[in-house]
Each structure stands twice: as structure tokens, then as C-alpha cells.
PDB file of all heavy atoms in Angstrom:
ATOM      1  N   LEU A   1       0.844  -1.211   0.023  1.00  0.00           N
ATOM      2  CA  LEU A   1      -0.015   0.005   0.024  1.00  0.00           C
ATOM      3  C   LEU A   1       0.888   1.278  -0.011  1.00  0.00           C
ATOM      4  O   LEU A   1       0.398   2.252  -0.431  1.00  0.00           O
ATOM      5  CB  LEU A   1      -0.877  -0.043   1.193  1.00  0.00           C
ATOM      6  CG  LEU A   1      -2.139  -0.949   1.202  1.00  0.00           C
ATOM      7  CD1 LEU A   1      -3.027  -0.843   2.519  1.00  0.00           C
ATOM      8  CD2 LEU A   1      -2.980  -0.767   0.063  1.00  0.00           C
ATOM      9  N   LEU A   2       2.067   1.221   0.503  1.00  0.00           N
ATOM     10  CA  LEU A   2       2.930   2.294   0.470  1.00  0.00           C
ATOM     11  C   LEU A   2       3.261   2.779  -0.907  1.00  0.00           C
ATOM     12  O   LEU A   2       3.653   3.945  -1.195  1.00  0.00           O
ATOM     13  CB  LEU A   2       4.268   2.019   1.167  1.00  0.00           C
ATOM     14  CG  LEU A   2       4.118   1.707   2.706  1.00  0.00           C
ATOM     15  CD1 LEU A   2       5.469   1.365   3.351  1.00  0.00           C
ATOM     16  CD2 LEU A   2       3.526   2.979   3.580  1.00  0.00           C
ATOM     17  N   MET A   3       3.264   1.887  -1.887  1.00  0.00           N
ATOM     18  CA  MET A   3       3.565   2.215  -3.250  1.00  0.00           C
ATOM     19  C   MET A   3       2.426   2.650  -4.110  1.00  0.00           C
ATOM     20  O   MET A   3       2.548   2.884  -5.249  1.00  0.00           O
ATOM     21  CB  MET A   3       4.210   1.067  -3.930  1.00  0.00           C
ATOM     22  CG  MET A   3       5.585   0.672  -3.236  1.00  0.00           C
ATOM     23  SD  MET A   3       6.383  -0.787  -3.973  1.00  0.00           S
ATOM     24  CE  MET A   3       5.337  -2.082  -3.442  1.00  0.00           C
ATOM     25  N   VAL A   4       1.231   2.621  -3.584  1.00  0.00           N
ATOM     26  CA  VAL A   4       0.049   3.043  -4.188  1.00  0.00           C
ATOM     27  C   VAL A   4      -0.260   4.480  -4.138  1.00  0.00           C
ATOM     28  O   VAL A   4      -0.437   5.092  -3.016  1.00  0.00           O
ATOM     29  CB  VAL A   4      -1.272   2.256  -3.648  1.00  0.00           C
ATOM     30  CG1 VAL A   4      -2.552   2.720  -4.482  1.00  0.00           C
ATOM     31  CG2 VAL A   4      -1.062   0.798  -3.907  1.00  0.00           C
ATOM     32  N   PRO A   5      -0.225   5.217  -5.246  1.00  0.00           N
ATOM     33  CA  PRO A   5      -0.434   6.691  -5.265  1.00  0.00           C
ATOM     34  C   PRO A   5      -1.893   6.991  -4.761  1.00  0.00           C
ATOM     35  O   PRO A   5      -2.838   6.342  -4.957  1.00  0.00           O
ATOM     36  CB  PRO A   5      -0.200   7.267  -6.671  1.00  0.00           C
ATOM     37  CG  PRO A   5       0.455   6.079  -7.245  1.00  0.00           C
ATOM     38  CD  PRO A   5       0.117   4.841  -6.652  1.00  0.00           C
ATOM     39  N   PHE A   6      -2.001   8.107  -4.072  1.00  0.00           N
ATOM     40  CA  PHE A   6      -3.327   8.488  -3.498  1.00  0.00           C
ATOM     41  C   PHE A   6      -4.320   8.737  -4.669  1.00  0.00           C
ATOM     42  O   PHE A   6      -5.442   8.534  -4.395  1.00  0.00           O
ATOM     43  CB  PHE A   6      -3.133   9.807  -2.521  1.00  0.00           C
ATOM     44  CG  PHE A   6      -4.417  10.363  -2.075  1.00  0.00           C
ATOM     45  CD1 PHE A   6      -5.247   9.623  -1.084  1.00  0.00           C
ATOM     46  CD2 PHE A   6      -4.894  11.531  -2.559  1.00  0.00           C
ATOM     47  CE1 PHE A   6      -6.451  10.093  -0.687  1.00  0.00           C
ATOM     48  CE2 PHE A   6      -6.098  12.124  -2.121  1.00  0.00           C
ATOM     49  CZ  PHE A   6      -6.891  11.308  -1.192  1.00  0.00           C
ATOM     50  N   GLN A   7      -3.856   9.264  -5.702  1.00  0.00           N
ATOM     51  CA  GLN A   7      -4.724   9.525  -6.857  1.00  0.00           C
ATOM     52  C   GLN A   7      -5.435   8.399  -7.342  1.00  0.00           C
ATOM     53  O   GLN A   7      -6.636   8.450  -7.968  1.00  0.00           O
ATOM     54  CB  GLN A   7      -3.998  10.301  -7.944  1.00  0.00           C
ATOM     55  CG  GLN A   7      -3.534  11.649  -7.646  1.00  0.00           C
ATOM     56  CD  GLN A   7      -2.273  11.736  -6.875  1.00  0.00           C
ATOM     57  OE1 GLN A   7      -1.693  10.617  -6.544  1.00  0.00           O
ATOM     58  NE2 GLN A   7      -1.825  12.903  -6.385  1.00  0.00           N
ATOM     59  N   ILE A   8      -4.912   7.142  -7.185  1.00  0.00           N
ATOM     60  CA  ILE A   8      -5.462   5.973  -7.768  1.00  0.00           C
ATOM     61  C   ILE A   8      -6.772   5.652  -6.816  1.00  0.00           C
ATOM     62  O   ILE A   8      -7.815   5.074  -7.485  1.00  0.00           O
ATOM     63  CB  ILE A   8      -4.473   4.770  -7.631  1.00  0.00           C
ATOM     64  CG1 ILE A   8      -3.367   5.131  -8.695  1.00  0.00           C
ATOM     65  CG2 ILE A   8      -5.185   3.420  -7.985  1.00  0.00           C
ATOM     66  CD1 ILE A   8      -2.330   4.001  -8.822  1.00  0.00           C
ATOM     67  N   ILE A   9      -6.754   5.819  -5.584  1.00  0.00           N
ATOM     68  CA  ILE A   9      -7.868   5.378  -4.662  1.00  0.00           C
ATOM     69  C   ILE A   9      -8.733   6.613  -4.485  1.00  0.00           C
ATOM     70  O   ILE A   9      -9.741   6.451  -3.614  1.00  0.00           O
ATOM     71  CB  ILE A   9      -7.340   4.924  -3.392  1.00  0.00           C
ATOM     72  CG1 ILE A   9      -6.665   6.098  -2.627  1.00  0.00           C
ATOM     73  CG2 ILE A   9      -6.427   3.713  -3.545  1.00  0.00           C
ATOM     74  CD1 ILE A   9      -6.240   5.677  -1.160  1.00  0.00           C
ATOM     75  N   LEU A  10      -8.596   7.765  -5.189  1.00  0.00           N
ATOM     76  CA  LEU A  10      -9.401   8.928  -4.863  1.00  0.00           C
ATOM     77  C   LEU A  10     -10.818   8.690  -5.198  1.00  0.00           C
ATOM     78  O   LEU A  10     -11.802   9.001  -4.373  1.00  0.00           O
ATOM     79  CB  LEU A  10      -8.758  10.043  -5.695  1.00  0.00           C
ATOM     80  CG  LEU A  10      -9.148  11.500  -5.187  1.00  0.00           C
ATOM     81  CD1 LEU A  10      -8.858  11.836  -3.825  1.00  0.00           C
ATOM     82  CD2 LEU A  10      -8.562  12.509  -6.125  1.00  0.00           C
ATOM     83  N   VAL A  11     -11.083   8.282  -6.314  1.00  0.00           N
ATOM     84  CA  VAL A  11     -12.534   8.033  -6.862  1.00  0.00           C
ATOM     85  C   VAL A  11     -13.200   6.922  -6.037  1.00  0.00           C
ATOM     86  O   VAL A  11     -14.287   7.197  -5.539  1.00  0.00           O
ATOM     87  CB  VAL A  11     -12.540   7.668  -8.359  1.00  0.00           C
ATOM     88  CG1 VAL A  11     -13.992   7.340  -8.732  1.00  0.00           C
ATOM     89  CG2 VAL A  11     -12.107   8.957  -9.181  1.00  0.00           C
ATOM     90  N   PRO A  12     -12.594   5.788  -5.954  1.00  0.00           N
ATOM     91  CA  PRO A  12     -13.306   4.792  -5.002  1.00  0.00           C
ATOM     92  C   PRO A  12     -13.511   5.348  -3.546  1.00  0.00           C
ATOM     93  O   PRO A  12     -14.609   5.070  -2.819  1.00  0.00           O
ATOM     94  CB  PRO A  12     -12.308   3.622  -4.873  1.00  0.00           C
ATOM     95  CG  PRO A  12     -11.550   3.687  -6.193  1.00  0.00           C
ATOM     96  CD  PRO A  12     -11.367   5.237  -6.413  1.00  0.00           C
ATOM     97  N   LEU A  13     -12.569   6.047  -3.029  1.00  0.00           N
ATOM     98  CA  LEU A  13     -12.659   6.655  -1.698  1.00  0.00           C
ATOM     99  C   LEU A  13     -13.866   7.613  -1.653  1.00  0.00           C
ATOM    100  O   LEU A  13     -14.693   7.627  -0.641  1.00  0.00           O
ATOM    101  CB  LEU A  13     -11.426   7.304  -1.222  1.00  0.00           C
ATOM    102  CG  LEU A  13     -11.333   7.797   0.289  1.00  0.00           C
ATOM    103  CD1 LEU A  13     -11.493   6.591   1.134  1.00  0.00           C
ATOM    104  CD2 LEU A  13     -10.040   8.513   0.511  1.00  0.00           C
ATOM    105  N   PHE A  14     -14.077   8.320  -2.743  1.00  0.00           N
ATOM    106  CA  PHE A  14     -15.159   9.319  -2.753  1.00  0.00           C
ATOM    107  C   PHE A  14     -16.433   8.596  -2.818  1.00  0.00           C
ATOM    108  O   PHE A  14     -17.434   8.923  -2.106  1.00  0.00           O
ATOM    109  CB  PHE A  14     -14.985  10.220  -4.050  1.00  0.00           C
ATOM    110  CG  PHE A  14     -16.186  11.130  -4.314  1.00  0.00           C
ATOM    111  CD1 PHE A  14     -16.233  12.391  -3.716  1.00  0.00           C
ATOM    112  CD2 PHE A  14     -17.224  10.707  -5.056  1.00  0.00           C
ATOM    113  CE1 PHE A  14     -17.322  13.154  -3.963  1.00  0.00           C
ATOM    114  CE2 PHE A  14     -18.266  11.586  -5.415  1.00  0.00           C
ATOM    115  CZ  PHE A  14     -18.310  12.778  -4.796  1.00  0.00           C
ATOM    116  N   LEU A  15     -16.549   7.480  -3.498  1.00  0.00           N
ATOM    117  CA  LEU A  15     -17.784   6.694  -3.523  1.00  0.00           C
ATOM    118  C   LEU A  15     -18.051   6.073  -2.275  1.00  0.00           C
ATOM    119  O   LEU A  15     -19.236   5.955  -1.879  1.00  0.00           O
ATOM    120  CB  LEU A  15     -17.681   5.603  -4.637  1.00  0.00           C
ATOM    121  CG  LEU A  15     -17.599   6.156  -6.158  1.00  0.00           C
ATOM    122  CD1 LEU A  15     -17.338   5.054  -7.154  1.00  0.00           C
ATOM    123  CD2 LEU A  15     -18.697   7.107  -6.469  1.00  0.00           C
ATOM    124  N   ILE A  16     -16.979   5.657  -1.546  1.00  0.00           N
ATOM    125  CA  ILE A  16     -17.310   5.006  -0.248  1.00  0.00           C
ATOM    126  C   ILE A  16     -17.859   6.010   0.746  1.00  0.00           C
ATOM    127  O   ILE A  16     -18.727   5.830   1.496  1.00  0.00           O
ATOM    128  CB  ILE A  16     -16.026   4.324   0.406  1.00  0.00           C
ATOM    129  CG1 ILE A  16     -15.672   3.199  -0.602  1.00  0.00           C
ATOM    130  CG2 ILE A  16     -16.111   4.023   1.747  1.00  0.00           C
ATOM    131  CD1 ILE A  16     -14.258   2.586  -0.251  1.00  0.00           C
ATOM    132  N   VAL A  17     -17.268   7.251   0.744  1.00  0.00           N
ATOM    133  CA  VAL A  17     -17.700   8.350   1.684  1.00  0.00           C
ATOM    134  C   VAL A  17     -19.132   8.760   1.276  1.00  0.00           C
ATOM    135  O   VAL A  17     -19.859   8.989   2.212  1.00  0.00           O
ATOM    136  CB  VAL A  17     -16.754   9.536   1.475  1.00  0.00           C
ATOM    137  CG1 VAL A  17     -17.272  10.714   2.189  1.00  0.00           C
ATOM    138  CG2 VAL A  17     -15.343   9.119   2.133  1.00  0.00           C
ATOM    139  N   LYS A  18     -19.455   8.755  -0.022  1.00  0.00           N
ATOM    140  CA  LYS A  18     -20.803   9.160  -0.373  1.00  0.00           C
ATOM    141  C   LYS A  18     -21.849   8.077   0.068  1.00  0.00           C
ATOM    142  O   LYS A  18     -22.988   8.395   0.181  1.00  0.00           O
ATOM    143  CB  LYS A  18     -20.846   9.350  -1.837  1.00  0.00           C
ATOM    144  CG  LYS A  18     -22.148   9.878  -2.393  1.00  0.00           C
ATOM    145  CD  LYS A  18     -22.068  10.069  -3.903  1.00  0.00           C
ATOM    146  CE  LYS A  18     -23.453  10.596  -4.378  1.00  0.00           C
ATOM    147  NZ  LYS A  18     -24.576   9.580  -4.179  1.00  0.00           N
ATOM    148  N   SER A  19     -21.403   6.853   0.230  1.00  0.00           N
ATOM    149  CA  SER A  19     -22.375   5.725   0.371  1.00  0.00           C
ATOM    150  C   SER A  19     -22.260   5.289   1.908  1.00  0.00           C
ATOM    151  O   SER A  19     -22.868   4.115   2.201  1.00  0.00           O
ATOM    152  CB  SER A  19     -22.025   4.568  -0.532  1.00  0.00           C
ATOM    153  OG  SER A  19     -21.987   5.043  -1.840  1.00  0.00           O
ATOM    154  N   VAL A  20     -21.780   6.048   2.811  1.00  0.00           N
ATOM    155  CA  VAL A  20     -21.883   5.665   4.282  1.00  0.00           C
ATOM    156  C   VAL A  20     -23.351   5.571   4.747  1.00  0.00           C
ATOM    157  O   VAL A  20     -24.054   6.541   4.564  1.00  0.00           O
ATOM    158  CB  VAL A  20     -21.069   6.676   5.065  1.00  0.00           C
ATOM    159  CG1 VAL A  20     -21.242   6.392   6.610  1.00  0.00           C
ATOM    160  CG2 VAL A  20     -19.732   6.748   4.602  1.00  0.00           C
ATOM    161  N   PRO A  21     -23.729   4.412   5.212  1.00  0.00           N
ATOM    162  CA  PRO A  21     -25.098   4.255   5.619  1.00  0.00           C
ATOM    163  C   PRO A  21     -25.450   5.166   6.707  1.00  0.00           C
ATOM    164  O   PRO A  21     -24.683   5.430   7.641  1.00  0.00           O
ATOM    165  CB  PRO A  21     -25.225   2.833   6.000  1.00  0.00           C
ATOM    166  CG  PRO A  21     -23.987   2.143   5.473  1.00  0.00           C
ATOM    167  CD  PRO A  21     -22.974   3.161   5.412  1.00  0.00           C
ATOM    168  N   LEU A  22     -26.800   5.667   6.691  1.00  0.00           N
ATOM    169  CA  LEU A  22     -27.392   6.442   7.812  1.00  0.00           C
ATOM    170  C   LEU A  22     -26.779   7.704   8.050  1.00  0.00           C
ATOM    171  O   LEU A  22     -26.960   8.280   9.131  1.00  0.00           O
ATOM    172  CB  LEU A  22     -27.315   5.558   9.040  1.00  0.00           C
ATOM    173  CG  LEU A  22     -28.058   4.231   8.953  1.00  0.00           C
ATOM    174  CD1 LEU A  22     -27.997   3.539  10.385  1.00  0.00           C
ATOM    175  CD2 LEU A  22     -29.526   4.345   8.576  1.00  0.00           C
ATOM    176  N   PHE A  23     -26.043   8.274   7.116  1.00  0.00           N
ATOM    177  CA  PHE A  23     -25.433   9.622   7.234  1.00  0.00           C
ATOM    178  C   PHE A  23     -25.839  10.342   5.989  1.00  0.00           C
ATOM    179  O   PHE A  23     -25.904   9.861   4.813  1.00  0.00           O
ATOM    180  CB  PHE A  23     -23.959   9.508   7.334  1.00  0.00           C
ATOM    181  CG  PHE A  23     -23.405   9.342   8.750  1.00  0.00           C
ATOM    182  CD1 PHE A  23     -23.292   7.945   9.140  1.00  0.00           C
ATOM    183  CD2 PHE A  23     -23.222  10.336   9.635  1.00  0.00           C
ATOM    184  CE1 PHE A  23     -22.787   7.701  10.443  1.00  0.00           C
ATOM    185  CE2 PHE A  23     -22.682  10.092  10.852  1.00  0.00           C
ATOM    186  CZ  PHE A  23     -22.376   8.751  11.227  1.00  0.00           C
ATOM    187  N   GLY A  24     -26.107  11.617   6.207  1.00  0.00           N
ATOM    188  CA  GLY A  24     -26.392  12.499   5.024  1.00  0.00           C
ATOM    189  C   GLY A  24     -27.620  12.091   4.264  1.00  0.00           C
ATOM    190  O   GLY A  24     -27.610  12.400   3.017  1.00  0.00           O
ATOM    191  N   GLY A  25     -28.557  11.712   4.849  1.00  0.00           N
ATOM    192  CA  GLY A  25     -29.783  11.191   4.152  1.00  0.00           C
ATOM    193  C   GLY A  25     -29.790   9.813   3.691  1.00  0.00           C
ATOM    194  O   GLY A  25     -30.740   9.428   2.915  1.00  0.00           O
ATOM    195  N   ASN A  26     -28.684   9.062   3.704  1.00  0.00           N
ATOM    196  CA  ASN A  26     -28.586   7.729   3.220  1.00  0.00           C
ATOM    197  C   ASN A  26     -29.450   6.775   4.077  1.00  0.00           C
ATOM    198  O   ASN A  26     -29.594   6.886   5.259  1.00  0.00           O
ATOM    199  CB  ASN A  26     -27.181   7.325   3.190  1.00  0.00           C
ATOM    200  CG  ASN A  26     -26.339   7.840   2.013  1.00  0.00           C
ATOM    201  OD1 ASN A  26     -26.949   8.422   1.062  1.00  0.00           O
ATOM    202  ND2 ASN A  26     -25.040   7.738   2.049  1.00  0.00           N
ATOM    203  N   ASN A  27     -29.935   5.748   3.439  1.00  0.00           N
ATOM    204  CA  ASN A  27     -30.630   4.687   4.143  1.00  0.00           C
ATOM    205  C   ASN A  27     -29.641   3.665   4.573  1.00  0.00           C
ATOM    206  O   ASN A  27     -28.388   3.780   4.515  1.00  0.00           O
ATOM    207  CB  ASN A  27     -31.728   4.120   3.162  1.00  0.00           C
ATOM    208  CG  ASN A  27     -31.038   3.458   1.874  1.00  0.00           C
ATOM    209  OD1 ASN A  27     -29.870   3.239   1.806  1.00  0.00           O
ATOM    210  ND2 ASN A  27     -31.912   3.384   0.842  1.00  0.00           N
ATOM    211  N   ILE A  28     -30.153   2.559   5.056  1.00  0.00           N
ATOM    212  CA  ILE A  28     -29.376   1.491   5.670  1.00  0.00           C
ATOM    213  C   ILE A  28     -28.354   0.924   4.603  1.00  0.00           C
ATOM    214  O   ILE A  28     -27.290   0.350   4.899  1.00  0.00           O
ATOM    215  CB  ILE A  28     -30.147   0.344   6.267  1.00  0.00           C
ATOM    216  CG1 ILE A  28     -29.263  -0.505   7.167  1.00  0.00           C
ATOM    217  CG2 ILE A  28     -30.905  -0.352   5.222  1.00  0.00           C
ATOM    218  CD1 ILE A  28     -28.618   0.094   8.345  1.00  0.00           C
ATOM    219  N   LEU A  29     -28.755   1.010   3.323  1.00  0.00           N
ATOM    220  CA  LEU A  29     -27.962   0.628   2.169  1.00  0.00           C
ATOM    221  C   LEU A  29     -26.988   1.563   1.650  1.00  0.00           C
ATOM    222  O   LEU A  29     -26.214   1.440   0.713  1.00  0.00           O
ATOM    223  CB  LEU A  29     -28.841  -0.018   1.121  1.00  0.00           C
ATOM    224  CG  LEU A  29     -29.735  -1.155   1.417  1.00  0.00           C
ATOM    225  CD1 LEU A  29     -30.592  -1.523   0.215  1.00  0.00           C
ATOM    226  CD2 LEU A  29     -29.034  -2.380   1.927  1.00  0.00           C
ATOM    227  N   GLY A  30     -26.948   2.846   2.202  1.00  0.00           N
ATOM    228  CA  GLY A  30     -26.009   3.806   1.796  1.00  0.00           C
ATOM    229  C   GLY A  30     -26.564   4.607   0.518  1.00  0.00           C
ATOM    230  O   GLY A  30     -25.660   5.081  -0.248  1.00  0.00           O
TER     231      GLY A  30
END
């Protein structure tokens, strides 16, 4: 993981943050 640039995980991380369940109006399924 030390060799993985942050830019590679930027979009997946954004989608994970957007789909956190029960936060920001999300349901249990995110």
C-alpha cells in the first residue's frame, strides 16, 4: 500500500464516503 499513489484510490474513496449508511440522508444501504 505504501507504493499506491493517493490519486488511484481517490474516486473509490469518494464513492465510499458518499455511500456511508445512515449519514447525510442515506438509508441503511447507503
Side-chain angles (χ1 to χ4, degrees):
L1 289 180
L2 296 178
M3 298 179 287
V4 178
F6 175 68
Q7 290 77 8
I8 292 180
I9 65 171
L10 198 57
V11 174
L13 189 61
F14 176 85
L15 295 177
I16 292 174
V17 169
K18 183 179 182 298
S19 303
V20 175
L22 304 179
F23 279 88
N26 283 344
N27 56 24
I28 192 66
L29 300 177

